[in-house]
Amino acid sequence: MNGDALSRLATLLEEDLQATNQAIVARMDSPVALIPQLAAHLVAAGGKRLRPLLTLAAAKLCGYEGVRQIKLAACVEFIHTATLLHDDVVDESVLRRGYASANAVFGNKASVLVGDFLFARAFQLMVEDGSLEVLRILSQAAATIAEGEVLQLTTQNDLATTEQKYFDVIRGKTAALFAAACEVGGVIAARPASECAALAQFGMDLGMAFQLVDDALDYSADEAELGKTVGDDFREGKLTYPVLLAIAAATPSEREFWTRTVEQGNQTQADLATALALIQKHGAGFQTIARAEKFVTSAVSALEIFAPSSMRDALVEVAQFTTARRF
Amino acid sequence: MNGDALSRLATLLEEDLQATNQAIVARMDSPVALIPQLAAHLVAAGGKRLRPLLTLAAAKLCGYEGVRQIKLAACVEFIHTATLLHDDVVDESVLRRGYASANAVFGNKASVLVGDFLFARAFQLMVEDGSLEVLRILSQAAATIAEGEVLQLTTQNDLATTEQKYFDVIRGKTAALFAAACEVGGVIAARPASECAALAQFGMDLGMAFQLVDDALDYSADEAELGKTVGDDFREGKLTYPVLLAIAAATPSEREFWTRTVEQGNQTQADLATALALIQKHGAGFQTIARAEKFVTSAVSALEIFAPSSMRDALVEVAQFTTARRF
């Protein structure tokens, strides 16, 4: 996400965002000290707050003037953070291969349990809000996220993964929460179903674009030169869009390379550079961004149902700059 | 839980239980094949269905004649199963010490994600049911469970753990769901708050007794002779009630033993036998069961608010036989 576009959105929503941050800190508290400690590590530390901003923006776009968006934005962030914590859990096999674990400080079990707490707390916040429609949207999103994550796990190391499966994975693991975050903004504003659906569509398309760009950046030679972390997906044997494209265009010897490194997980230090070179050779990064652009176009057109406003402009801008982001 | 008392309860509720089992199998389905596969491993396989039986029994006790208890009993079982799956997650440190992981077949990550799916699905079932009060009770229970599990994690290997902390742990990790499972039966029957509170109290006390007995059985020499698994808590360095009692009564050399084995996690093959002998020497198993008996007495008296009925008798019997169970 382009930092400037997102900063402008955050500035437009500054008061709401501050209130959301306060709600986040207040509601992740617990008499069990490790919970706020570990949660603070991820939640309070800041982050871009992209998903809660979408809820705040959607509510504002719909002319909503109450305060329900604050609690629900916090709730969306809790669901996101729970997902991050559970994503940090590493498998025995990964440990055996000697990768550093993202949850090294606290351990697998604490990540899982604190994630569970945040997830439960998110539902408590929704119950306090009191809308069964919001509960329906976000419990459905939570189930879809889990399905996407499990599907990703089962396609890992599988070179036969189809584009369709890849899109199912990212729709679940990323786009579903973007969609739900936007939709609830319309629901609390009591907008007609067509507008709520348009917001969901905007979020879904934005989420798809966002994840495609994320997956492209993980194979970006530029980023590697800038000293940023690339190659996580490669090391984990994830069949992301750039890899699927490079495999589809592979020569026989290139296919052997992908089979060894991604399917069999048999990698040496030098393999990442080769992977980056192959992605570049076949223009797979470029094509991935191009695919993301299509989702951005769809996202922007979904917002046409709304009258022009500074909030609509800001959301359009956030979408358009998705493909320009470098982090 | 005594098998006979529980079987009698299951027989009284046979139709509802069958419908619940069907709902469980139907609603854990997903287009992502690994989800039903892994869930079946735990959910469909059967188990005692103790928690859903409590929901069914509480609804019946309250004279409820609708069908909402089925979906909510399935929901309670999903929350329980999600907890089991997340309990299976092992820490890197545990792996390093060479213990076999309970989730060896599928891996940490799959356990976490399928647990997340079941948890989300449980909330979808509640949303379908449509009662915000039920949602409030079960989302609160879910948060309390997570808090109890995290507290257990932070007291692990800590010989300074107090009885109070131990009771906080088991209230969270076990009794809170028993209480919620019972309470929702009264809520859907639209019984007065006093009766719903009595059901919650019954479940809470029953859950406390149940966990105390569980913790006693893990140090039962009888069970060891019968070839059943004992000593899991010892190996994991959990400060359960029997150990707390044995530590409180320890001689200086016994205290050194507990410091080495439980606090420092430095155990040899022969240590479990010593631990069992020390528990026996100080009557810690016996005292744990005696403490459980007190909770049973409290559980039974909580039901006095209800008119005598075969369902009340069955619930009283289940409670009374908690301390006689051998599995």
Side-chain angles (χ1 to χ4, degrees), chain A residues 13-229:
Chain A
L13 294 161
E14 196 172 359
E15 254 180 73
D16 276 8
L17 186 58
Q18 275 186 13
T20 302
N21 283 333
Q22 279 164 14
I24 286 171
V25 172
R27 302 310 297 271
M28 74 185 189
D29 203 18
S30 163
V32 180
L34 182 58
I35 290 175
Q37 274 169 29
L38 203 158
H41 205 67
L42 272 160
V43 181
K48 301 187 299 292
R49 300 271 196 255
L50 171 55
R51 293 155 191 82
L53 273 171
L54 291 176
T55 301
L56 301 177
K60 205 67 101 188
L61 178 71
C62 291
Y64 177 71
E65 294 188 338
V67 294
R68 291 170 60 195
Q69 78 282 17
I70 305 300
K71 210 175 255 182
L72 294 176
C75 159
V76 163
E77 186 72 351
F78 281 173
I79 293 177
H80 171 56
T81 310
T83 309
L84 287 184
L85 279 164
H86 288 187
D87 237 17
D88 271 0
V89 170
V90 288
D91 263 326
E92 301 86 322
S93 57
V94 176
L95 280 170
R96 271 184 234 112
R97 272 183 254 147
Y99 297 139
S101 92
N103 60 355
V105 189
F106 295 103
N108 268 341
K109 195 120 192 182
S111 290
V112 173
L113 299 175
V114 174
D116 287 352
F117 174 80
L118 290 177
F119 199 54
R121 184 47 57 87
F123 278 93
Q124 287 186 286
L125 288 168
M126 285 182 251
V127 170
E128 286 174 22
D129 173 70
S131 160
L132 279 167
E133 179 62 4
V134 167
L135 275 155
R136 188 191 61 73
I137 291 165
L138 282 165
S139 60
Q140 164 76 54
T144 304
I145 292 168
E147 287 183 318
E149 296 268 3
V150 175
L151 187 61
Q152 174 171 270
L153 203 62
T154 61
T155 58
Q156 214 158 307
N157 307 109
D158 181 4
L159 289 203
T161 300
T162 59
E163 279 193 20
Q164 182 55 50
K165 273 207 172 159
Y166 166 79
F167 283 118
D168 286 346
V169 167
I170 68 171
R171 187 173 298 114
K173 77 169 190 172
T174 305
L177 188 57
F178 277 65
C182 291
E183 189 176 2
V184 299
V187 169
I188 59 173
R191 304 303 304 169
S194 57
E195 291 184 19
C196 294
L199 286 167
Q201 187 64 50
F202 171 78
M204 188 64 85
D205 287 328
L206 181 66
M208 297 297 279
F210 182 85
Q211 189 59 53
L212 277 160
V213 172
D214 220 47
D215 292 345
L217 288 176
D218 205 61
Y219 284 97
S220 156
D222 290 356
E223 302 306 300
E225 279 169 22
L226 286 168
K228 295 196 182 173
T229 307

Side-chain angles (χ1 to χ4, degrees), chain A residues 30 86-87 109 116 147, chain B residues 30 86-87 109 116 119 147:
Chain A
S30 163
H86 288 187
D87 237 17
K109 195 120 192 182
D116 287 352
E147 287 183 318
Chain B
S30 162
H86 289 186
D87 237 15
K109 196 122 192 182
D116 287 351
F119 199 53
E147 286 183 318

Side-chain angles (χ1 to χ4, degrees), chain B residues 131-316:
Chain B
S131 160
L132 279 166
E133 179 62 4
V134 167
L135 275 155
R136 189 192 59 75
I137 292 165
L138 282 165
S139 60
Q140 164 76 57
T144 305
I145 292 168
E147 286 183 318
E149 297 267 4
V150 175
L151 188 61
Q152 174 171 269
L153 202 63
T154 60
T155 58
Q156 215 159 304
N157 307 107
D158 180 4
L159 288 203
T161 301
T162 59
E163 279 194 20
Q164 184 55 50
K165 272 207 173 159
Y166 167 79
F167 283 117
D168 286 347
V169 166
I170 69 171
R171 186 173 299 114
K173 76 169 190 172
T174 305
L177 188 57
F178 276 66
C182 292
E183 189 176 2
V184 298
V187 169
I188 58 172
R191 304 302 304 169
S194 57
E195 292 184 19
C196 293
L199 286 168
Q201 188 63 52
F202 170 78
M204 188 64 84
D205 288 329
L206 180 66
M208 298 298 279
F210 182 86
Q211 189 59 53
L212 277 161
V213 173
D214 220 48
D215 292 346
L217 288 176
D218 205 62
Y219 284 98
S220 158
D222 291 356
E223 302 306 299
E225 278 167 23
L226 285 168
K228 295 195 182 174
T229 307
V230 297
D232 282 349
D233 293 341
F234 179 66
R235 278 184 289 271
E236 292 172 25
K238 283 186 190 164
L239 274 295
T240 60
Y241 204 63
V243 178
L244 291 180
L245 294 173
I247 290 170
T251 65
S253 74
E254 287 171 13
R255 202 182 158 85
E256 273 173 38
F257 169 82
W258 294 115
T259 300
R260 171 176 60 81
T261 56
V262 171
E263 191 158 290
Q264 298 163 1
N266 174 10
Q267 300 184 3
T268 66
Q269 206 75 38
D271 287 332
L272 178 58
T274 307
L276 292 178
L278 292 177
I279 298 285
Q280 203 157 29
K281 171 188 166 189
H282 294 293
F286 176 80
Q287 287 177 65
T288 300
I289 301 295
R291 189 70 193 82
E293 292 281 11
K294 282 194 191 176
F295 281 109
V296 169
T297 304
S298 173
V300 169
S301 70
L303 292 184
E304 280 165 13
I305 194 174
F306 297 98
S309 69
S310 60
M311 194 51 67
R312 196 185 77 166
D313 291 347
L315 283 169
V316 165

